Amino acid sequence: MWGVDVALEVGTRRVFATALDWPGWCRSGKGAEAALAALADAAPRYALVAAAAKIAFRPGLADDLTVVERLPGDGSTDFGAPGQVAKRDREPLTAAQARRRAALLQAAWVVFDRVVAAAPAELRKGPRGGGRDRDKIVEHVLGAESGYARKLGLKFPAATDLAGAVGPRELIADALRGASDGSPLAPRGWPPRYAAARVAWHALDHAWEIEDRAAG
């Protein structure tokens, strides 16, 4: 099966399109059509993630996007972060499916780290002078990962640099590698499918931000 099942998270000002079986492949736009176009445009970038995970990603895969679910968004959606759990994200995972998703998550981290290593410390600012520089983005991503870990029943302090993130990231990946009945891994936590997608999205969203703001 090569088609891409997509969930749309629809806010009042922003829509996120998420490829449900490809953790981290998620983009937004001002409306469903714009979000789907952004998702398709990101396919070449996501192909590098799949390659790092050694998982086949067919050229032209983004030509076959199928919306299978629409979710109402909220303030987080409009602010710029996907936060709704799709029905697919609550489904069980076989051990093989879980290993695949964990591998894609780890590959997202590999891509993030590569982008950081290649980027200048000072990034191009936005039209009103906004935007973090490289090291502040890294600090933000690592801090978020410490918070995300609690959604999996894990607890560790935020790493202070990418070298220090290796162990904590492995703990997250280990928690997501096993077969699951789809239940959250901690009280008020995230189902494993959603957890892999959300953590990978955050790393890739900021990796691609760094790339875009380092160019030109």
Side-chain angles (χ1 to χ4, degrees), residues 27-90:
R27 305 310 292 154
S28 69
K30 294 181 179 179
E33 289 187 8
L36 289 167
L39 187 71
D41 288 346
R45 281 174 148 174
Y46 193 82
L48 300 178
V49 180
K54 299 182 179 179
I55 292 173
F57 190 86
R58 178 175 59 85
L61 189 61
D63 296 336
D64 192 12
L65 304 178
T66 302
V67 176
V68 297
E69 187 172 354
R70 291 175 182 264
L71 304 160
D74 57 17
S76 293
T77 313
D78 289 328
F79 179 74
Q84 304 303 312
V85 181
K87 291 179 181 177
R88 176 79 60 84
D89 289 330
R90 301 183 188 278

Side-chain angles (χ1 to χ4, degrees), residues 80-138:
Q84 304 303 312
V85 181
K87 291 179 181 177
R88 176 79 60 84
D89 289 330
R90 301 183 188 278
E91 292 181 359
L93 282 167
T94 66
Q97 289 171 329
R99 287 194 299 270
R100 175 184 178 277
R101 294 180 74 85
L104 287 165
L105 168 58
Q106 290 183 296
W109 286 325
V110 168
V111 168
F112 177 82
D113 292 359
R114 287 175 182 168
V115 168
V116 169
E122 187 171 323
L123 301 176
R124 178 170 47 83
K125 303 304 180 186
R128 291 179 295 278
R132 305 177 182 95
D133 284 327
R134 182 198 63 196
D135 293 347
K136 285 296 184 181
I137 292 176
V138 172

Side-chain angles (χ1 to χ4, degrees), residues 127-196:
R128 291 179 295 278
R132 305 177 182 95
D133 284 327
R134 182 198 63 196
D135 293 347
K136 285 296 184 181
I137 292 176
V138 172
E139 180 182 341
H140 166 70
V141 169
L142 297 182
E145 287 170 5
S146 176
Y148 294 157
R150 293 182 176 88
K151 296 291 188 177
L152 304 175
L154 303 172
K155 188 174 182 180
F156 50 75
T160 57
D161 55 33
L162 293 178
V166 173
R169 286 174 168 178
E170 188 61 30
L171 291 174
I172 293 173
D174 280 345
L176 297 174
R177 282 195 186 99
S180 167
D181 65 1
S183 300
L185 297 179
R188 302 178 68 181
W190 288 339
R193 284 180 182 270
Y194 177 79

